[in-house]
């Protein structure tokens, strides 16, 4: 029966060697483990013949115990430590066997079958455990294969997602470019609508410049005549007129100048620089431009313009061309609404567009009201949406109010509200805080 | 001859006064001004019998020149002879011209005003 102890030791060494096979530790242990496994077999035959009978039973358990001790204390065999542990019962049984045989040979002789079975059980225990461990290992191997598959899948998906994210980022970039282009084209479109208004607005002051300079030349001739006649008083009166005319020329020249500057400012890319702005002046300017813009297209159109500007309206820090665009948009819409209502043919209907400004509690408010068609309840929530328009295809970009919303709410921390009754009126209110954070 | 000039641009007034300086001094013409169609109608309530010629801009906020013309022809058409009405506009287009003529305008002038031509027309009126 000692044979099983030796066999256990032999097989343990083989397993230890297998456990390091295919690792970098193999070279370190290969020779030692191989030779020692042969050594165990040789020891079995040699010691059986050479040593006295009383010592022989101790050799096997000693060798096996030694190997177990060595394997448990060697870090390189840590992964198979639980397998090494399964040899401990065999070692113990072997020792007990040897000790009992030594101190009570008679008792041992009577019950040697029990001891032999114990040794055999110790040996079988190793293999039972080995088999179950192997099964576990196989399961773990399957799990680890599955885990690898899963990880491969995850990394594949991650790569896919990263690719999608990059594509989306590109798309967002593209959309931003398109948005900028749209804003610019909306600006250019509204500038186009304004062209006629601007032409009219410039033509008027230019007419005055021409007329007043012509008449001044005539006046100088007359003044010379009066001086020749010696009528100094009349000559002085004419001189005063000429002086007044020159002031008028200057005034109307500046007026045209301001309009051209405003037009340039309108078409320019917004530089987002906020500056102290007189909203009354801005509103008045754009009200006229919007009015004449529509009039140029529909020459029979006439509207009453009412301005109720707060006299002591403080200046407010805004991006003037942005807020100008908002006002222009609101005026254009207002005139459009009254024009549409007029087309319904009520002979008593008179279009009225009103603009009012007030300042209160750290903010200024601008009201733009028209007595036009009003906004139907079911589209009231949509009017600020990009590309929403009630105008026929090609006439409106659908961006006017959505851009206005962005400018007032996002650009100036303000608010934009609308009150309306279908068929009666629409009133837009924008409020801008006096202290606008620069964002 | 009393002339009423209707235009929402206030600077039209000194311009007319200076352009017709000599005529005014010689008391050939006399000018009155209104800044809107509504003002013009109010003015005409009292003085329509004195006014010989009305020069009105078409494009004005509120009542347009065309509407004013309609009112003049409706309200002040009775003899003594109805005033001569000349329409003035910066938008010298067919539609305005047609409307003005339909509503009974005597003449149609475009801005910028040719004052020599206007004086000629006045002379023809008085002759």
């Amino acid at each position: 029966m000692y044979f099983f102890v030796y066999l256990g030791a032999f097989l343990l060494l083989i397993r230890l060697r297998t456990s390091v096979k295919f690792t970098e530790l193999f070279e370190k242990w290969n020779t030692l483990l191989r030779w020692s496994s042969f050594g165990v077999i040789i020891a079995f035959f040699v010691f059986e013949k050479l040593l006295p009978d009383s010592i022989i039973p101790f050799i096997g358990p000693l060798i096996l115990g030694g190997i177990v001790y060595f394997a448990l204390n060697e870090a390189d065999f840590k992964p198979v430590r639980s397998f090494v542990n399964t040899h401990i019962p065999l070692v113990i049984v072997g020792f007990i066997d040897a000790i009992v045989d030594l101190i009570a040979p008679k008792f041992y002789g009577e019950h040697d079958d029990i001891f032999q079975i114990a040794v055999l059980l110790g040996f079988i225990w190793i293999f039972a455990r080995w088999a179950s461990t192997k099964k576990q290992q196989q399961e773990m191997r399957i799990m680890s294969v599955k885990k690898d598959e899963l990880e491969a899948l995850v990394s594949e998906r991650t790569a896919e997602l990263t690719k999608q994210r990059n594509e989306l980022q590109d798309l967002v970039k593209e959309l931003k470019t398109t948005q900028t282009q749209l804003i610019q084209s909306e600006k250019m479109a509204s500038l186009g609508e304004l062209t006629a208004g601007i032409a009219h607005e410039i033509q008027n002051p230019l007419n005055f410049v021409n007329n007043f300079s012509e008449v001044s030349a005539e006046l100088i001739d007359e003044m010379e005549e009066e001086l020749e006649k010696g009528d100094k008083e009349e000559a002085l009166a004419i001189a005063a007129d000429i002086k007044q005319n020159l002031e008028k020329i200057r005034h109307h020249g500046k007026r045209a100048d301001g309009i051209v500057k405003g037009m340039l400012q309108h078409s320019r890319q917004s530089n987002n620089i906020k500056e102290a702005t007189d909203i009354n002046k801005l509103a008045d300017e754009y009200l006229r431009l919007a009015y004449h813009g529509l009039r140029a297209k529909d020459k029979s159109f006439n509207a009453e313009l009412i301005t109720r500007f707060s006299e002591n309206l403080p200046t407010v820090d805004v991006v003037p061309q942005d807020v100008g665009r908002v006002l222009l948009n609101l005026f254009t819409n207002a005139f459009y609404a009254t024009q549409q209502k007029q087309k319904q043919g009520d002979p008593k209907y008179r279009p009225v567009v009103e603009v009012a400004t007030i300042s209160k509690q750290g903010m200024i408010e601008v009201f733009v009201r028209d007595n036009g068609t009003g906004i139907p309840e079911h589209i009231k929530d949509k009017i600020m949406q990009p590309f929403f328009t009630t105008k026929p295809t090609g006439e409106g970009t659908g961006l006017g109010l959505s851009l206005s919303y962005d400018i007032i709410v996002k650009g100036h921390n303000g608010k934009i509200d609308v009150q309306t009754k279908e068929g009666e009126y629409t009133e837009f209110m924008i409020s801008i805080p006096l202290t606008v954070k620069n964002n | 001859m009393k002339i009423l000039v209707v235009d929402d641009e206030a600077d039209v007034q000194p311009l007319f006064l200076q352009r017709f300086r000599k005529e005014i001094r010689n008391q050939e013409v006399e000018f009155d001004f209104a800044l809107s169609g509504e003002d013009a109608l109010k003015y005409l309530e009292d003085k329509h019998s004195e006014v010989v010629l009305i020069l009105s801009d078409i494009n004005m906020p509120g009542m347009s020149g065309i509407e004013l013309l309609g009112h003049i022809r409706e309200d002040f058409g009775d003899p003594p002879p109805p005033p001569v009405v000349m329409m003035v506009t910066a938008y010298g287009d067919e539609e305005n011209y047609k409307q003005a003529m339909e509503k009974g305008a005597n003449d149609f002038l475009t801005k910028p005003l040719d004052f020599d031509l206007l004086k000629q027309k006045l002379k023809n009126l008085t002759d």
Side-chain angles (χ1 to χ4, degrees):
Chain A
M1 277 301 117
Y2 310 131
F3 170 73
F4 284 106
V5 183
Y6 284 94
L7 188 59
F10 173 73
L11 291 173
L12 175 58
L13 288 169
I14 302 262
R15 295 265 156 68
L16 287 179
R17 187 168 163 262
T18 318
S19 79
V20 291
K21 215 169 181 175
F22 309 120
T23 72
E24 53 199 10
L25 297 166
F26 187 59
E27 217 161 295
K28 184 175 166 191
W29 297 110
N30 180 27
T31 324
L32 178 68
L33 291 170
R34 195 163 52 184
W35 290 116
S36 53
S37 59
F38 292 137
V40 170
I41 301 298
I42 293 162
F44 172 71
F45 292 107
V46 170
F47 293 140
E48 201 79 350
K49 303 281 175 220
L50 296 182
L51 290 173
D53 279 358
S54 57
I55 296 171
I56 288 170
F58 287 101
I59 302 301
L62 264 177
I63 291 173
L64 183 59
I67 295 167
V68 168
Y69 180 80
F70 157 78
L72 290 180
N73 286 288
E74 181 55 62
D76 290 350
F77 299 112
K78 208 176 170 185
V80 289
R81 197 166 279 178
S82 66
F83 175 69
V84 174
N85 281 333
T86 61
H87 292 74
I88 294 172
L90 185 59
V91 175
I92 293 167
V93 170
F95 273 119
I96 293 170
D97 194 296
I99 290 165
V100 174
D101 193 12
L102 184 69
I103 58 175
K106 201 177 161 213
F107 176 80
Y108 183 84
E110 279 167 18
H111 299 94
D112 67 336
D113 50 344
I114 293 173
F115 287 102
Q116 281 169 8
I117 287 169
V119 170
L120 201 61
L121 282 175
F123 187 74
I124 289 167
W125 171 251
I126 294 168
F127 285 88
R129 288 301 303 271
W130 178 71
S132 81
T133 316
K134 200 160 185 189
K135 200 177 156 202
Q136 274 179 10
Q137 276 176 346
Q138 203 159 1
E139 274 169 10
M140 271 170 71
R141 212 170 16 245
I142 291 167
M143 297 239 308
S144 104
V145 168
K146 278 189 181 162
K147 196 179 138 212
D148 286 350
E149 277 172 12
L150 212 64
E151 264 171 15
L153 206 64
V154 166
S155 62
E156 196 181 304
R157 285 284 150 81
T158 310
E160 229 168 80
L161 284 174
T162 313
K163 196 177 149 222
Q164 278 180 357
R165 192 200 57 188
N166 289 342
E167 280 171 2
L168 280 174
Q169 273 175 345
D170 287 349
L171 200 65
V172 167
K173 221 182 278 170
E174 207 176 300
L175 278 173
K176 276 193 179 150
T177 318
T178 314
Q179 189 192 26
T180 320
Q181 284 168 350
L182 273 172
I183 291 172
Q184 190 58 18
S185 65
E186 204 275 339
K187 263 194 241 179
M188 296 321 282
S190 62
L191 186 68
E193 278 183 19
L194 284 185
T195 312
I198 289 166
H200 177 267
E201 283 293 278
I202 295 175
Q203 190 61 52
N204 259 346
L206 282 183
N207 286 346
F208 279 115
V209 169
N210 290 335
N211 274 317
F212 278 115
S213 46
E214 269 175 50
V215 82
S216 295
E218 284 172 21
L219 286 179
I220 285 171
D221 289 342
E222 280 182 41
M223 186 169 75
E224 282 169 354
E225 281 170 30
E226 299 297 337
L227 284 174
E228 270 165 28
K229 270 194 271 171
D231 191 343
K232 194 181 159 197
E233 210 172 301
E234 183 61 19
L236 280 175
I238 294 173
D241 276 355
I242 294 171
K243 195 172 170 190
Q244 188 198 26
N245 287 359
L246 291 177
E247 270 164 27
K248 299 248 177 250
I249 289 169
R250 199 173 126 84
H251 167 75
H252 288 286
K254 277 193 166 176
R255 195 173 137 193
D257 187 54
I259 292 160
V260 171
K261 284 214 176 87
M263 182 176 76
L264 290 178
Q265 206 170 46
H266 181 79
S267 64
R268 210 166 52 195
Q269 288 275 10
S270 167
N271 52 12
N272 285 320
I273 291 173
K274 291 184 171 121
E275 47 192 90
T277 305
D278 180 351
I279 296 293
N280 285 347
K281 208 177 133 209
L282 200 68
D284 194 43
E285 201 175 296
Y286 278 104
L287 179 67
R288 297 172 70 90
L289 285 180
Y291 181 55
H292 291 297
L294 182 60
R295 280 267 297 269
K297 280 196 285 187
D298 178 359
K299 294 185 176 75
S300 61
F301 180 76
N302 245 284
E304 187 180 350
L305 311 181
I306 302 175
T307 53
R308 283 186 282 109
F309 292 135
S310 164
E311 274 173 31
N312 32 30
L313 193 76
T315 58
V316 56
D317 285 337
V318 295
V319 185
Q321 59 265 58
D322 282 358
V323 175
R325 274 175 49 215
V326 174
L327 291 169
L328 174 66
N329 185 253
L330 296 183
F331 294 144
T332 310
N333 288 348
F335 285 122
Y336 183 81
T338 56
Q339 187 197 28
Q340 291 306 108
K341 189 165 174 187
Q342 196 172 41
K343 281 182 183 168
Q344 292 168 3
D346 177 1
K348 277 188 225 146
Y349 177 68
R350 304 185 54 80
V352 179
V353 172
E354 253 178 281
V355 53
T357 55
I358 55 168
S359 69
K360 67 171 190 190
Q361 293 165 349
M363 51 174 48
I364 63 154
E365 291 178 347
V366 184
F367 297 86
V368 177
R369 187 187 171 104
D370 67 75
N371 63 346
T373 48
I375 303 167
E377 194 61 37
H378 67 281
I379 61 164
K380 215 178 119 184
D381 293 337
K382 296 185 193 154
I383 56 170
M384 303 284 180
Q385 288 173 7
F387 303 112
F388 181 81
T389 180
T390 58
K391 292 182 184 172
T393 315
E395 277 189 38
T397 58
L399 288 173
L401 279 178
S402 102
L403 287 176
S404 298
Y405 181 87
D406 283 358
I407 289 168
I408 296 301
V409 177
K410 294 185 191 158
H412 294 86
N413 291 325
K415 275 198 303 185
I416 180 161
D417 279 320
V418 62
Q419 289 201 321
T420 181
K421 189 164 182 197
E422 193 176 353
E424 286 187 21
Y425 76 96
T426 300
E427 181 175 77
F428 277 91
M429 190 268 281
I430 56 178
S431 56
I432 303 172
L434 285 174
T435 47
V436 179
K437 277 182 228 132
N438 270 296
N439 42 3
Chain B
M1 178 167 62
K2 194 167 230 178
I3 300 171
L4 174 68
V5 178
V6 189
D7 199 312
D8 59 314
E9 289 270 9
D11 277 350
V12 160
Q13 302 174 15
L15 188 65
F16 270 86
L17 294 177
Q18 289 180 16
R19 284 286 192 178
F20 287 91
R21 193 181 181 80
K22 275 184 194 160
E23 290 80 356
I24 293 168
R25 204 167 17 159
N26 300 338
Q27 296 188 334
E28 289 166 31
V29 293
E30 191 185 336
F31 281 100
D32 270 320
F33 298 95
L35 282 170
S36 69
E38 290 86 348
D39 281 358
L41 283 182
K42 235 176 268 165
Y43 172 91
L44 287 173
E45 290 283 335
D46 304 331
K47 306 194 175 166
H48 70 274
S49 53
E50 300 169 30
V51 175
V52 179
L53 170 65
I54 297 167
L55 274 170
S56 175
D57 188 17
I58 291 182
N59 306 299
M60 291 179 292
M63 187 188 292
S64 76
I66 301 281
E67 285 174 78
L68 173 65
L69 173 62
H71 284 294
I72 292 170
R73 286 296 176 242
E74 272 174 36
D75 303 345
F76 309 106
D78 300 334
V84 173
V85 182
M86 294 186 183
M87 302 309 293
V88 186
T89 179
Y91 304 107
D93 68 306
E94 280 294 306
E95 186 59 30
N96 267 336
Y97 178 79
K98 219 178 86 195
Q99 277 195 23
M101 288 308 169
E102 268 172 19
K103 297 242 173 165
N106 299 84
D107 212 336
F108 189 83
L109 305 169
T110 52
K111 280 184 178 178
L113 269 181
D114 182 340
F115 280 91
D116 291 333
L117 183 71
L118 181 61
K119 281 181 188 176
Q120 191 57 48
K121 283 179 193 278
L122 293 188
K123 217 174 162 196
N124 293 345
L125 264 182
T126 45
D127 287 347

